[in-house]
Amino acid sequence: MKQIQKTTIILFILFTTGCYYDNEEKLYAEVSTTCDLTNVTFAVTVKPILQASCYSCHSNSNANSSGGGIKLENYADVQTQAKNGKLMGTVKHTSGYQAMPKGGGKLTDCEISQLQKWIDNGTLNN
Ligand code: HEC
């Protein structure tokens, strides 16, 4: 009887600590892979990225004074820079392109992947 109780307690401890580690691994995995590439749209994904990192120079009103005349506010203008390869070339810091954001930190890997995904999906106005 005592042996059974001991075994039960040991199994209980193994089971619960097992679960604890599982949950922890899952938690870290979720934190490090939180990059939503399934619902990428122009309005909800692409524009906010550009707004946060590029509009200080490339909004319609700032483009001529600070952004070399390149506008990234209206859909059609962003689509032009996406299709000619300059949007990804600049944010990925590909050689042969001006590295963007100019004078600032590179976009995150997730943001770059989301822009790429929008292009791969056909640069839709969605
Ligand atoms: C501090 C101002 C500034 C910021 C912020 C900035 N740019 Fe630029 N960008 C420029 C200027 C100025 C040019 C014109 C080329 C040059 O002088 O480097 C330019 C040019 C470009 C071009 C055209 C490059 C070419 O080879 O013709 C693209 C595309 C571009 N930027 C995209 C972006 C994107 C995307 C962001 C945000 C992730 C961004 N830029 C952020 C200033 C900026």
Side-chain angles (χ1 to χ4, degrees):
M1 192 59 182
K2 268 201 159 162
Q3 189 57 45
I4 290 170
Q5 278 174 336
K6 255 192 202 167
T7 312
T8 309
I9 288 167
I10 289 168
L11 282 178
F12 179 75
I13 290 168
L14 285 176
F15 178 74
T16 50
T17 52
C19 276
Y20 175 72
Y21 285 119
D22 281 354
N23 286 340
E24 201 173 39
E25 275 167 26
K26 214 175 165 190
L27 188 71
Y28 284 127
E30 274 165 11
V31 167
S32 60
T33 59
T34 305
C35 184
D36 184 4
L37 295 176
T38 51
N39 302 304
V40 170
T41 67
F42 179 71
V44 176
T45 321
V46 173
K47 210 169 167 183
I49 293 172
L50 301 179
Q51 192 158 25
S53 301
C54 319
Y55 284 11
S56 55
C57 302
H58 293 291
S59 69
N60 287 340
S61 52
N62 295 338
N64 286 333
S65 55
S66 315
I70 306 281
K71 294 177 179 170
L72 294 173
E73 196 168 330
N74 297 345
Y75 165 75
D77 292 325
V78 180
Q79 193 195 34
T80 299
Q81 298 305 321
K83 292 210 158 169
N84 68 18
K86 289 182 178 177
L87 180 65
M88 292 319 293
T90 55
V91 299
K92 283 181 168 174
H93 297 185
T94 307
S95 81
Y97 294 90
Q98 301 275 350
M100 295 290 150
K102 196 179 176 81
K106 201 178 177 186
L107 296 183
T108 65
D109 288 347
C110 181
E111 290 171 324
I112 292 171
S113 300
Q114 288 175 323
L115 294 178
Q116 186 65 60
K117 185 76 182 172
W118 175 69
I119 292 171
D120 292 346
N121 287 346
T123 63
L124 301 177
N125 188 4
N126 54 4

